[in-house]
Amino acid sequence: MSHSQKVKLINTIIFIVLAIGAVFMIAPLLWMVTTSVKEKQDVFALPPKWIPDTINWIKYSEIWEKGPLLDGIKNSLIVALSVTIVGTFTSSLAAFSFAKLKFPHKNKIFLLLLAAIMIPYPAVMIPQFMFFSKIEWVDTLLPLIVPGLFGNIIMIFFIRQYLMSVPDEIIEAAKIDGSSYFRLFSTITFPLIKPAVAAQLILWFMGIWNDYLAPIIYLNSPEKQTLQLVIANYNATYAIQTDYPLIMAASVVALLPVLITFLIFQKQIIESVAISGVKG
């Protein structure tokens, strides 16, 4: 077998393996969508029906009446947008400071921040809850918003690594011209790191939108709950009634913002993976 034939065979095997993996990943999503337009009795039909005989969209109107879905979407948007917009700005400033500014013990402080990632969340979960309970923030969105406003260490690390490849001469030339530190960041540095910032902002938004653990710890009132808690309540309430089409319809609505975000910004997300592999 020639070298070209070996390469072709290997590529074919890789393609088949990836195609099988794609089927296993996409099939549950397709099942969720098709279940949302089925009748109750069709969900458990044997053999399973991927495409129902009659497509029923009624569940997409019922979900707004069966629970506080609109409040969940609104709360999730408030948390996700406020944290990602402000947190991305503060993370970028911190990354710029660690990458391009000189101050005492800079590397030690950065390593200390990185070390914080190694602390499992359950270890700080109870102290955090006690603290937020003392200042009466429990059952509000503040515990989900305020900590994120001060930045995300993963984003700081990623943007810092990206900034390390930016020549110091650009910064030094701007300093000589009399630029302030904030102007160095806003007009010179930030435009250079826009691709990295955009990719991290999108991934962070998706992570906050899908977060379940933190909201279930701090939120009790139905009108204060985020979308993921509302969907969990749908599951707890209507699974007993075997109303899976209703649950799946609500899940599709919850998935749409993340899916649309990924489809629009998939180029930036893929670039972020490539950047993380070659920068630093």
Side-chain angles (χ1 to χ4, degrees):
M1 186 182 290
S2 65
H3 177 70
S4 61
Q5 288 176 324
K6 286 182 179 179
V7 171
K8 188 179 290 186
L9 178 62
I10 292 170
N11 289 340
T12 303
I13 293 171
I14 292 173
F15 176 79
I16 292 171
V17 171
L18 292 175
I20 293 171
V23 168
F24 278 102
M25 294 179 68
I26 294 172
L29 296 177
L30 292 177
W31 183 258
M32 178 178 70
V33 174
T34 58
T35 301
S36 69
V37 294
K38 290 178 182 177
E39 300 289 344
K40 279 187 186 182
Q41 62 273 15
D42 293 335
V43 176
F44 301 101
L46 292 174
K49 291 183 179 180
W50 281 90
I51 301 175
D53 297 328
T54 304
I55 295 178
N56 185 8
W57 298 98
I58 190 65
K59 297 301 177 183
Y60 283 94
S61 61
E62 285 185 12
I63 55 176
W64 307 101
E65 304 163 3
K66 299 286 187 178
L69 191 64
L70 194 60
D71 287 335
I73 293 173
K74 181 188 72 176
N75 292 332
S76 287
L77 281 174
I78 291 172
V79 174
L81 291 177
S82 58
V83 169
T84 52
I85 292 172
V86 179
T88 297
F89 176 70
T90 54
S91 297
S92 303
L93 281 176
F96 171 69
S97 302
F98 283 121
K100 296 302 177 186
L101 301 186
K102 296 177 181 178
F103 54 89
H105 310 297
K106 178 177 74 171
N107 293 330
K108 291 179 182 177
I109 296 172
F110 182 67
L111 288 175
L112 188 64
L113 286 175
L114 285 180
I117 303 175
M118 301 173 65
I119 302 174
Y121 183 65
V124 298
M125 188 167 60
I126 295 175
Q128 274 189 351
F129 180 83
M130 292 173 65
F131 171 74
F132 288 130
S133 179
K134 273 190 174 181
I135 60 176
E136 298 181 350
W137 280 11
V138 173
D139 203 26
T140 71
L141 297 179
L142 292 175
L144 307 180
I145 295 174
V146 174
L149 299 181
F150 296 95
N152 181 317
I153 184 57
I154 301 295
M155 179 179 281
I156 293 171
F157 171 76
F158 182 87
I159 298 174
R160 175 188 176 275
Q161 294 302 103
Y162 190 87
L163 276 169
M164 295 296 284
S165 65
V166 176
D168 291 337
E169 287 77 11
I170 298 175
I171 307 298
E172 296 300 327
K175 280 183 183 178
I176 294 171
D177 289 340
S179 296
S180 64
Y181 285 118
F182 187 77
R183 187 168 179 272
L184 281 175
F185 170 77
S186 59
T187 62
I188 296 170
T189 306
F190 190 76
L192 297 175
I193 61 172
K194 270 185 181 178
V197 171
Q200 287 299 300
L201 186 148
I202 295 159
L203 294 173
W204 196 8
F205 174 86
M206 292 166 66
I208 294 172
W209 185 268
N210 291 322
D211 187 24
Y212 177 77
L213 180 58
I216 201 173
I217 293 171
Y218 296 111
L219 304 177
N220 301 315
S221 304
E223 68 275 7
K224 298 286 181 63
Q225 292 179 345
T226 58
L227 184 57
Q228 299 307 320
L229 290 187
V230 174
I231 298 299
N233 290 335
Y234 272 85
N235 187 49
T237 304
Y238 298 107
I240 299 172
Q241 305 171 20
T242 66
D243 197 351
Y244 290 104
L246 182 75
I247 297 169
M248 293 303 160
S251 300
V252 170
V253 171
L255 174 69
L256 281 177
V258 174
L259 183 62
I260 292 169
T261 301
F262 178 79
L263 291 176
I264 293 174
F265 298 104
Q266 58 181 314
K267 181 181 177 183
Q268 285 84 353
I269 294 172
I270 293 169
E271 280 181 0
S272 74
V273 177
I275 290 168
S276 64
V278 299
K279 297 289 181 184

